[in-house]
Each structure stands twice: as C-alpha cells, then as structure tokens.
C-alpha cells in the first residue's frame, strides 16, 4: 500500500479543518503492509478527534510512515496511534507544531506506539501546562526515541484567528527543524537562509 499526501503552497498552506472525527485516518483491516506513507505541509485545524489516526496492522505487517512539517491546532489530539503489534520498522514524527490539543498532542491507545522517532517538534499549550511531561499519553515502545523537541514555547503564528499559521520572523520554530532532512524540489525556505 502506498499513500502520499504532500502540499506545497507558497502563498497559503493547505488546511484540513472542521472534521467531526479525524482529518485523516490510515489503516487496513486486512493486515496489508502500510508502508511509504508520507504526510507533509498540512495544517490540521479544529478537527474534533484530531488531525491523524494511524491504525497499525494487527499481525505485525510492516508499518512505515513519516509525518513531518505539519501544524496541528486544537482537536482532542494531534496524532492518535493505535498500533497493536510493533512492526520491525521505526516511523517518524518530526518538524511538526502541536498547539492547543484538549487531551494531548500524541495519544497512544494501544500497548505502545509501535516504534516512533519523535524529533524537532514544537509542543505548545498542553492541557496540564507542561508539554515537556505532557506531550504524549500512553507508552512509548522500547525502540522509540524522542530528541531535539521544543516545549512550552509559543510558535508565534501570524494570525491564527484568521487561519494564518505562517510563522512570525521571531518564532522559535524557524530553523529549528531537523537539519539532516533533504526536501523535495519545490520546498520553500521562508527566511532565505538555507
């Protein structure tokens, strides 16, 4: 199975908002491998349950995804992971901004998250007021890692009341992403410094 959702929009970001559930649900009840899933450059705003739900195969079939360079605003969670059997691969959640979820930015509903690298994300406005300890609910897999994340720093959106989630020039999220990632042609360097 292959799913690729990429938005490159230089003037206004693509937005998935107002869903009564999740904006995107990924899963396969036939236990088919879920591989090469890439979700990038999307604003997930005010979706009742959250931005993304990932349901992993129950038989341990391969599961590999990357969720990067997205903005998650409000909703119960930004990303909900329901991976009943840990796959042999590690997935990535990186370079995202999570702000204002009513429960938690990352919600893990299975035994653990199935093996994820959480890196270079900004977590802000968590329910308990401390994103450093409240960025996820549920258990991380022994193979999971979390590093280079920012906590409790306002992302400084240009005009969130009008749906403009571009970053102001003094945002702590600017140039705070993973420096090792090579982006596809058409990616935009907003401040022009490479």
């Amino acid at each position: 199975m292959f799913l690729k959702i990429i938005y490159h929009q230089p003037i206004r970001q693509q937005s998935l908002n107002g869903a009564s559930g999740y904006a995107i649900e990924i899963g396969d009840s036939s236990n088919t491998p879920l591989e090469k899933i890439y979700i990038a450059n999307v604003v997930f705003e005010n979706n009742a349950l959250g931005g993304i739900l990932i349901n992993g195969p129950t038989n341990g079939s391969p599961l590999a995804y990357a969720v990067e360079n997205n903005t998650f605003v409000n909703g119960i969670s930004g990303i909900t992971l329901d991976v009943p059997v840990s796959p042999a691969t590690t997935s990535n959640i990186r370079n995202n901004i999570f702000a204002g979820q009513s429960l938690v930015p990352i919600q893990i509903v299975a035994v653990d998250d199935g093996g994820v690298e959480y890196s270079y994300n900004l977590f802000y406005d968590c329910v308990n007021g401390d994103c450093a300890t409240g960025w996820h609910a549920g258990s991380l897999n022994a193979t999971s890692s979390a590093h280079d994340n920012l906590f409790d720093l306002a992302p400084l959106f240009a005009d969130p009341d009008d749906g403009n989630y571009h970053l102001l020039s003094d945002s702590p999220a600017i140039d705070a992403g993973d420096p090792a990632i090579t982006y596809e042609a058409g990616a935009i360097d907003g401040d022009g410094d490479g």
Side-chain angles (χ1 to χ4, degrees), residues 63-133:
L63 171 64
Y65 59 88
V67 177
E68 57 186 33
N69 302 320
N70 300 290
T71 301
F72 297 87
V73 179
N74 301 329
I76 291 177
S77 66
I79 300 173
T80 298
L81 302 173
D82 188 2
V83 183
V85 178
S86 296
T89 58
T90 299
S91 293
N92 293 293
I93 296 176
R94 64 179 161 223
N95 295 357
N96 299 289
I97 297 174
F98 296 88
Q101 283 72 44
S102 64
L103 178 63
V104 67
I106 307 288
Q107 181 180 15
I108 302 160
V109 297
V111 173
D112 61 44
D113 64 359
V116 179
E117 178 184 353
Y118 305 92
S119 59
Y120 300 95
N121 298 294
L122 186 150
F123 297 97
Y124 175 70
D125 193 20
C126 295
V127 172
N128 66 2
D130 180 11
C131 291
T133 60

Side-chain angles (χ1 to χ4, degrees), residues 129-143:
D130 180 11
C131 291
T133 60
W135 65 272
H136 72 89
S139 299
L140 303 183
N141 185 286
T143 63

